[in-house]
């Protein structure tokens, strides 16, 4: 027989999530002109309605110009599988979406933006780094850093004090990446002190809010409203 307390807790949680979703869908931005939203799909139901009106075709073209590029919505597993494979037209890979706006961040020769033979040549350079035989050789150093992370967690559990799991996790990530990629440890013997106080310069920069996120935090209320 189900525990009444568990049932009550689940009921309260379900009611809270329903009310939260209903608020975000129907009230949060109700002052802005918009199509009637759907509780589950929000405005995605517009595409669902378009698809139903067309008889649920395997492909549906949506022209978003001049706001954005046109796109095709695929509703067939067979077609989705076909376009992800190489073909005579695209012998290396399916063309990617235009990510030119990210060039200041990822650079002009990033694998994320390349196509065709350029992408294929750059992908070959990355292949050895993801080969199972090579990844196995890194297992010992990854386990070494992970065991150090676990030891830090155990030490905090014994003291019962508060600490930042975010900083420990970020430090662990940088430690593993640093050892694997640069053969260097960024945070040696620093995790305990940083978890109780402040982060290192590297992790602090990584976790620092950007101007965009800072502005969002300042404008957003406790209930998530803007």
């Amino acid at each position: 027989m189900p525990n009444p307390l568990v049932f009550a807790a689940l009921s309260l949680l379900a009611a809270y999530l329903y009310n939260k979703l209903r608020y975000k869908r129907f009230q949060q931005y109700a002052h802005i002109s918009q199509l009637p939203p759907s509780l589950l799909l929000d405005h995605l139901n517009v595409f669902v309605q378009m698809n139903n009106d067309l008889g649920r075709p395997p492909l549906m073209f949506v022209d978003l110009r001049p706001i954005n590029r046109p796109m095709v919505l695929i509703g067939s597993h067979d077609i989705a599988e076909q376009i992800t494979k190489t073909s005579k037209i695209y012998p290396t890979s399916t063309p990617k979406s235009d990510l030119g706006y990210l060039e200041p961040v990822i650079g002009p020769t990033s694998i994320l933006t390349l196509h065709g033979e350029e992408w294929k040549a750059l992908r070959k350079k990355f292949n050895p780094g993801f080969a199972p035989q090579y990844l196995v050789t890194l297992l010992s150093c990854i386990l070494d850093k992970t065991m150090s992370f676990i030891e830090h967690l155990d030490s905090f559990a014994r003291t019962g004090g508060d600490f930042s799991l975010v900083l420990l996790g970020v430090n662990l990530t940088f430690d593993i990446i640093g050892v694997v990629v640069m053969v260097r440890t960024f945070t040696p013997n620093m995790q305990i002190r940083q978890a109780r106080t402040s982060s290192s310069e590297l992790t602090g920069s990584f976790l620092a809010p950007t101007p965009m996120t800072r502005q969002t935090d300042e404008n957003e209320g406790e209930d998530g409203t803007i």
Side-chain angles (χ1 to χ4, degrees), residues 126-137:
F126 283 94
N127 285 342
F130 295 95
Q133 298 87 342
Y134 173 70
L135 294 177
V136 169
T137 65

Side-chain angles (χ1 to χ4, degrees), residues 25 55 85 109 111 203:
R25 289 288 194 248
K85 293 182 177 180
T109 59
I111 194 173
T203 56

Side-chain angles (χ1 to χ4, degrees), residues 108-146:
T109 59
S110 171
I111 194 173
L112 299 177
T113 58
L114 295 181
H115 305 278
E117 292 299 325
E118 288 182 315
W119 174 88
K120 186 177 181 180
L122 188 57
R123 185 66 177 87
K124 283 184 177 180
K125 295 180 180 180
F126 283 94
N127 285 342
F130 295 95
Q133 298 87 342
Y134 173 70
L135 294 177
V136 169
T137 65
L138 304 174
L139 191 59
S140 60
C141 64
I142 293 176
L143 288 176
D144 178 62
K145 298 300 179 183
T146 304

